[in-house]
Amino acid sequence: MSMAIPTRHSPNFNERPDGARTEILVLHYTGMATAEAAIELLCNPEAKVSSHYVVDEKGYILRLVDEEKRAWHAGVSSWAGERDINGHSIGIEIVNGGHDFGCPPYPDVQMAALEKLCLDIMSRNPISPRNVLAHSDVAPERKADPGEWFDWARLSRAGIGLWVAPEPIVEGPELKLGDRGDTVAQLQYRLGSYGYGVEVLGVYDARTEAVVRAFQRHFRPAKVDGVADLSTVATLHRLLELI
């Protein structure tokens, strides 16, 4: 049975593409001072942004757009070759000030409510663990939410998303902006195999750096610098073994 969730209808949605499968779940932070300000923005027709749900710091959940509709939460984005992320996803805005407001922690009651909501959504939609994503995963050059302090490991223990314990950070060879060669191409291939939107060019360009940073935010959050060190590469390899 689905959760009973109060609704405030946002006007910011349209129809999903014909035959579109809702197979991606994207988690955001609001990045604003208060829940009220975020909800007002998400319901403002001039803003042209929305999400399907909002989860506030006290665990209160509000529906803004029905799941069968296309909410406008992801913007210019891609995952596993799909560029209309809004057309194939459900978006959840988690009330949190984000990087601009000091990276406040996500309260336990909020995370518990988020877990319950995610499991409820996944019970109705064909969303694989691999497709439970950060906004930064699908828009790595533009977005950093829900941030490197978000507890992805907790969600994974609840059956939401993939996770492996990050490999320890150690000294050793690394790949960084400007590097070229087969090892860069191999890294790009592996990131793309997981779903990240990066071309296999053999050049460690700005896009690759942004994708590596997004990967680190989600899966190796202790050091988010866009440099593919041994820890980053080994964590990615272990993650690929799960799919």
Side-chain angles (χ1 to χ4, degrees):
M1 182 180 294
S2 297
M3 297 169 60
I5 299 174
T7 299
R8 175 178 171 179
H9 290 292
S10 170
N12 301 330
F13 68 89
N14 59 353
E15 298 298 321
R16 294 188 185 274
D18 289 343
R21 284 163 51 92
T22 307
E23 55 191 1
I24 299 171
L25 180 59
V26 183
L27 305 186
H28 309 250
Y29 63 44
T30 53
M32 299 182 72
T34 66
E36 293 75 18
I39 292 166
E40 288 303 316
L41 179 70
L42 294 165
C43 292
N44 181 347
E46 295 181 1
K48 294 182 169 57
V49 294
S50 61
S51 62
H52 293 91
Y53 298 98
V54 177
V55 183
D56 78 4
E57 303 100 318
K58 297 179 180 179
Y60 179 79
I61 301 171
L62 184 66
R63 178 186 291 110
L64 301 182
V65 175
D66 291 340
E67 285 183 19
E68 61 267 23
K69 304 298 184 182
R70 181 178 180 272
W72 304 340
H73 61 97
V76 177
S77 51
S78 69
W79 186 255
E82 178 57 61
R83 295 191 174 276
D84 181 11
I85 299 301
N86 285 340
H88 294 80
S89 69
I90 290 172
I92 302 175
E93 287 279 359
I94 309 160
V95 174
N96 185 280
H99 291 86
D100 290 344
F101 290 87
C103 305
Y106 292 87
D108 181 74
V109 66
Q110 184 181 44
M111 290 297 295
L114 177 64
E115 287 178 13
K116 187 175 180 181
L117 175 60
C118 288
L119 291 171
D120 187 54
I121 291 168
M122 294 171 72
S123 73
R124 291 188 298 277
N125 297 280
I127 298 170
S128 71
R130 176 183 175 184
N131 284 348
V132 179
L133 302 169
H135 196 189
S136 53
D137 290 324
V138 300
E141 291 177 293
R142 300 187 303 110
K143 297 295 181 179
D145 55 315
E148 56 273 17
W149 66 98
F150 183 77
D151 195 349
W152 290 103
R154 172 177 175 156
L155 290 191
S156 180
R157 290 193 296 270
I160 305 158
L162 289 184
W163 178 261
V164 294
E167 289 290 321
I169 297 172
V170 296
E171 293 292 327
E174 57 188 27
L175 298 171
K176 58 185 183 300
L177 190 64
D179 287 347
R180 297 171 177 266
D182 291 344
T183 52
V184 175
Q186 184 179 59
L187 171 69
Q188 292 168 329
Y189 175 78
R190 287 179 172 177
L191 288 165
S193 295
Y194 192 72
Y196 287 96
V198 59
E199 292 184 81
V200 181
L201 301 174
V203 179
Y204 205 109
D205 55 8
R207 175 69 178 183
T208 302
E209 184 181 58
V211 167
V212 169
R213 190 178 292 113
F215 175 82
Q216 291 169 335
R217 285 192 199 283
H218 191 150
F219 296 106
R220 208 289 303 274
K223 187 178 183 182
V224 179
D225 60 0
V227 174
D229 58 4
L230 290 173
S231 166
T232 301
V233 173
T235 303
L236 172 60
H237 181 72
R238 290 184 56 213
L239 197 61
L240 286 168
E241 291 177 339
L242 300 179
I243 64 175

